[in-house]
Amino acid sequence: MPTSKEYMERTEKVVLHTYNRFPVVFEKGEGVYLQDAEGKRYLDFGAGIAVFALGYGNQAYNDALKGQIDKLIHTSNLYYNIPLAEAGEKLIKASGMSKAFFTNSGTEAIEGALKAARKYAYNRDGRTDHEIIAMNHSFHGRSIGALSVTGNPHYQEAFRPLMGGVKFADYNDLDSVKAQITEHTCAIILETVQGEGGIYPADPAFLKGVKQLCEAQDILLILDEIQCGMGRTGSYFAWQQYGVEPDIMTCAKALGCGVPVGAFVLNEKTAEASLVPGDHGTTYGGNPLACAAVSKVFDLYEQEKIVEHVRSLTPYLEEKLDALVEKYDFLTKRRGMGFMQGLVVSGRPVGEIVKRALDNGLVVLSAGSDVIRLVPPLVITRENIDEMAEKLEASF
Ligand SMILES: *Cc1c(COP(=O)(O)O)cnc(C)c1O
């Protein structure tokens, strides 16, 4: 058996070095635990970056995928397929929105959302100089379009010129959004809970204020639910707790629980007057395998009462994390919603804590420059939370 070290060396020889990976080779997973190639077990509070909501090795999920593989994996969008109808219905039911377009990633969902917004505005006034307002410290993906609305100059710099017509405002600062609105503004895009930027939930007054600005001028509100959606915050989508409906929503990550799939979802007004045949497409998007995953994910969320579970266990997770903040001076704050939590670290490199946690058999992530990010599978138990707190403390 080759060792982990050999796999790492082989990988680095052939795979472009765009990630400084932790020196771990994961081989399999079971429930909320991962196992590396040497057989060491890790409690996983990262879930493959907020993806594997159901935990690893869910037999019903695995069987659904295996069954679909034996039937049909791909057909293209020139034809209908059965899982597409099922996945679409379930996504529309969970969101209460009108129409979905399936993509292969979160980034592509953002691209589609941006195009739908521009097309909507174009249909209205025939102009081609529309602007989009995005937030500082946001993250929406790495393609040129998604990068253009990602408020992180460090990610953007080398790739300029980016898509034009993008302006940035400060998250949770309504006046700064107002200041960027012009007669050309066609959309405002933001994460309902900022993820990569450091786990910042939207202030209710901010989100409501943005929605009012949008309604007043027929500006579309695009909410990026790629990380905070699919039950993570204690409702299918985080905006459902704010009483603020987006015109366009993006989702991905936990949508397929490991199968690469995303979607952008439009409300009726936007669906009726934006993208039409010829405007947008994808070879793989909405393929039977990915949609079988999405469809089964929604079934299992209902059967296992995943969203209710998140809601009922959140106070315990928050209590445990608050106790750590209380106990350690270098932890200055907890921020988050549901199973999307961040601990703000001051005066110590977060990367080192994350690395030491890994040594101690605990997977956690970082966010921003100073936040320990916890985005566990949504099936964790109280015992898992206790074990996480113990292992995290041991890593301080
Ligand atoms: C991960 C993420 C994306 C990008 O999704 P990919 O699947 O990596 O392309 C976009 N927006 C948010 C909020 C994300 O967390």
Side-chain angles (χ1 to χ4, degrees):
M1 269 289 284
T3 61
S4 286
K5 190 156 173 292
E6 286 173 277
Y7 284 119
M8 291 178 218
E9 284 165 7
R10 280 166 60 184
T11 304
E12 291 301 340
K13 273 209 183 99
V14 293
V15 174
L16 190 66
H17 186 82
T18 56
Y19 282 98
N20 290 317
R21 294 170 202 266
F22 291 100
V24 179
V25 179
F26 286 126
E27 193 176 17
K28 51 187 175 186
E30 197 189 328
V32 296
Y33 290 88
L34 284 164
Q35 191 175 310
D36 71 16
E38 272 74 36
K40 178 177 163 185
R41 266 159 63 92
Y42 301 74
L43 175 64
D44 183 9
F45 267 57
I49 317 186
V51 168
F52 239 106
L54 296 168
Y56 304 98
N58 183 304
Q59 203 55 53
Y61 172 84
N62 290 358
D63 287 345
L65 287 187
K66 287 174 194 167
Q68 189 59 47
I69 286 171
D70 287 336
K71 268 190 211 149
L72 188 63
I73 294 176
H74 179 77
T75 57
S76 92
N77 281 305
L78 302 178
Y79 318 98
Y80 294 89
N81 72 70
I82 295 165
L84 176 62
E86 293 170 346
E89 280 170 1
K90 290 168 193 176
L91 178 54
I92 290 309
K93 179 159 178 262
S95 63
M97 296 178 74
S98 179
K99 295 277 164 64
F101 181 106
F102 287 98
T103 66
N104 311 292
S105 67
T107 300
E108 287 168 81
I110 296 290
E111 293 294 326
L114 298 176
K115 281 180 71 177
R118 278 194 171 172
K119 183 72 194 296
Y120 176 88
Y122 175 83
N123 276 348
R124 184 184 54 206
D125 59 26
R127 296 172 67 140
T128 54
D129 56 358
H130 293 112
E131 296 169 353
I132 291 171
I133 300 174
M135 301 297 136
N136 290 315
H137 304 296
S138 61
F139 183 83
H140 298 294
R142 304 291 201 145
S143 63
I144 292 290
L147 187 60
S148 302
V149 291
T150 288
N152 184 331
H154 176 71
Y155 288 166
Q156 292 181 328
E157 185 53 30
F159 306 101
R160 293 184 186 284
L162 296 170
M163 184 182 90
V166 179
K167 297 175 143 194
F168 285 94
D170 290 330
Y171 194 73
N172 281 338
D173 180 344
L174 192 58
D175 287 335
S176 87
V177 176
K178 272 185 200 155
Q180 297 302 330
I181 291 181
T182 70
E183 54 166 3
H184 304 290
T185 309
C186 72
I188 299 176
I189 181 167
L190 58 107
E191 294 150 89
T192 319
V193 182
Q194 280 195 338
E196 307 295 319
I199 315 291
Y200 290 92
D203 291 338
F206 172 71
L207 201 54
K208 288 201 177 90
V210 170
K211 178 71 184 177
Q212 278 166 7
L213 293 175
C214 287
E215 278 178 339
Q217 297 182 51
D218 200 16
I219 294 167
L220 298 182
L221 176 60
I222 305 173
L223 290 181
D224 183 345
E225 290 264 342
I226 290 169
Q227 189 161 158
C228 62
M230 290 308 288
R232 181 154 295 282
T233 66
S235 52
Y236 261 114
F237 301 103
W239 55 262
Q240 290 167 329
Q241 289 172 64
Y242 288 85
V244 169
E245 290 178 18
D247 297 289
I248 305 175
M249 164 178 82
T250 56
C251 41
K253 291 203 163 92
L255 180 63
C257 279
V259 168
V261 59
F264 61 96
V265 190
L266 310 179
N267 67 2
E268 196 175 349
K269 163 179 110 169
T270 317
E272 302 268 291
S274 61
L275 302 174
V276 294
D279 280 341
H280 198 56
T282 161
T283 299
Y284 280 138
N287 96 4
L289 181 63
C291 285
V294 172
S295 179
K296 196 66 190 178
V297 165
F298 278 111
D299 289 350
L300 291 170
Y301 267 59
E302 293 302 315
Q303 280 162 30
E304 300 183 11
K305 301 201 167 10
I306 296 288
V307 177
E308 293 84 345
H309 176 70
V310 173
R311 260 205 307 268
S312 73
L313 208 53
T314 292
Y316 189 67
L317 175 61
E318 291 184 338
E319 186 187 305
K320 278 282 178 178
L321 296 174
D322 285 341
L324 292 178
V325 173
E326 188 73 18
K327 186 165 171 189
Y328 293 96
D329 282 346
F330 68 92
L331 295 178
T332 57
K333 205 177 170 41
R334 173 186 65 76
R335 273 198 304 260
M337 255 174 101
F339 287 3
M340 182 173 183
Q341 296 285 342
L343 293 172
V344 184
V345 175
S346 148
R348 282 203 195 185
V350 171
E352 248 164 56
I353 297 173
V354 172
K355 171 72 177 60
R356 235 174 293 143
L358 213 47
D359 294 340
N360 290 332
L362 171 69
V363 175
V364 292
L365 312 175
S366 60
S369 58
D370 61 351
V371 176
I372 302 169
R373 172 170 36 160
L374 302 152
V375 283
L378 304 185
V379 293
I380 53 163
T381 61
R382 281 171 85 94
E383 291 69 37
N384 296 145
I385 293 173
D386 292 341
E387 185 184 343
M388 175 277 293
E390 240 168 69
K391 288 190 158 152
L392 193 57
E393 246 190 294
S395 317
F396 291 157

